[in-house]
Amino acid sequence: MKKVGVIMGSDSDLPVVEKAIDKLKEYGVPYEVHVYSAHRTPAQAGEFSRTAKEKGFGVIIAAAGKAAHLAGALAANTTLPIIGIPIKSSTLDGLDALLSTVQMPTGIPVATVAIDGAANAALLAVQILAVSDEALAEKLRRSRSAEAKKVLEKNAGVEEEFNHPGGKEA
């Protein structure tokens, strides 16, 4: 199975990024985690993305706040799929990071999840890998089925409480 690279621009992003790591663990997807900055360690970030495919990576997740050029800097150096996680910062509530991550020029795409959307970034990475891994695809199907079952159970409870004679009044 291909690995997922999880790169953050600063170790201060780790509380958000851990949600992606936890989700990758849940699915049994191998990963590596690194701190590389697009601005402070551009050589190391570039080297990682240039050599990632040969090192067995199939997807890279890039988390960064503020100027948030990490995902784009990594994408410029590889043809692997890059998933950007804009990180909420104290200044513009993550809007700056969102716009920096999502506004990529034609030819250098970055898939972008919600601000602090690390769990969805990991799930998207799992989906990408599952295209060529049937066992992983089956894990996704089972997980989605379990989530649907939970929602339908909650729906039944709400219907029972509100949709019968003598139920709660509006």
Side-chain angles (χ1 to χ4, degrees), residues 22-162:
D22 291 344
K23 197 57 76 173
L24 292 170
K25 285 179 187 175
E26 179 183 326
Y27 281 89
V29 173
Y31 60 88
E32 285 185 19
V33 182
H34 301 279
V35 177
Y36 295 135
S37 168
H39 304 109
R40 295 182 298 264
T41 60
Q44 290 82 0
E47 177 67 13
F48 177 85
S49 59
R50 276 190 295 282
T51 61
K53 188 172 184 178
E54 293 78 31
K55 291 180 179 176
F57 292 91
V59 181
I60 299 172
I61 295 172
K66 299 195 180 202
H69 294 124
L70 182 59
L74 295 172
N77 288 291
T78 187
T79 57
L80 290 176
I82 305 291
I83 303 166
I85 306 170
I87 302 292
K88 184 177 182 178
S89 65
S90 60
T91 48
L92 297 174
D93 286 333
L95 182 59
D96 49 347
L98 174 64
L99 294 175
S100 293
T101 306
V102 77
Q103 294 289 359
M104 292 300 299
T106 299
I108 309 294
V110 169
T112 307
V113 296
I115 296 167
D116 290 351
N120 268 353
L123 286 169
L124 181 55
V126 170
Q127 285 179 243
I128 291 167
L129 295 178
V131 167
S132 61
D133 186 324
E134 189 51 42
L136 194 53
E138 182 56 31
K139 285 182 184 179
L140 279 167
R141 282 190 289 275
R142 284 194 311 265
S143 177
R144 291 230 178 143
S145 179
E147 289 299 315
K149 183 178 177 184
K150 287 180 193 175
V151 171
L152 293 174
E153 288 170 356
K154 290 177 183 180
N155 175 60
V158 169
E159 287 179 356
E160 176 65 26
E161 184 173 348
F162 294 98

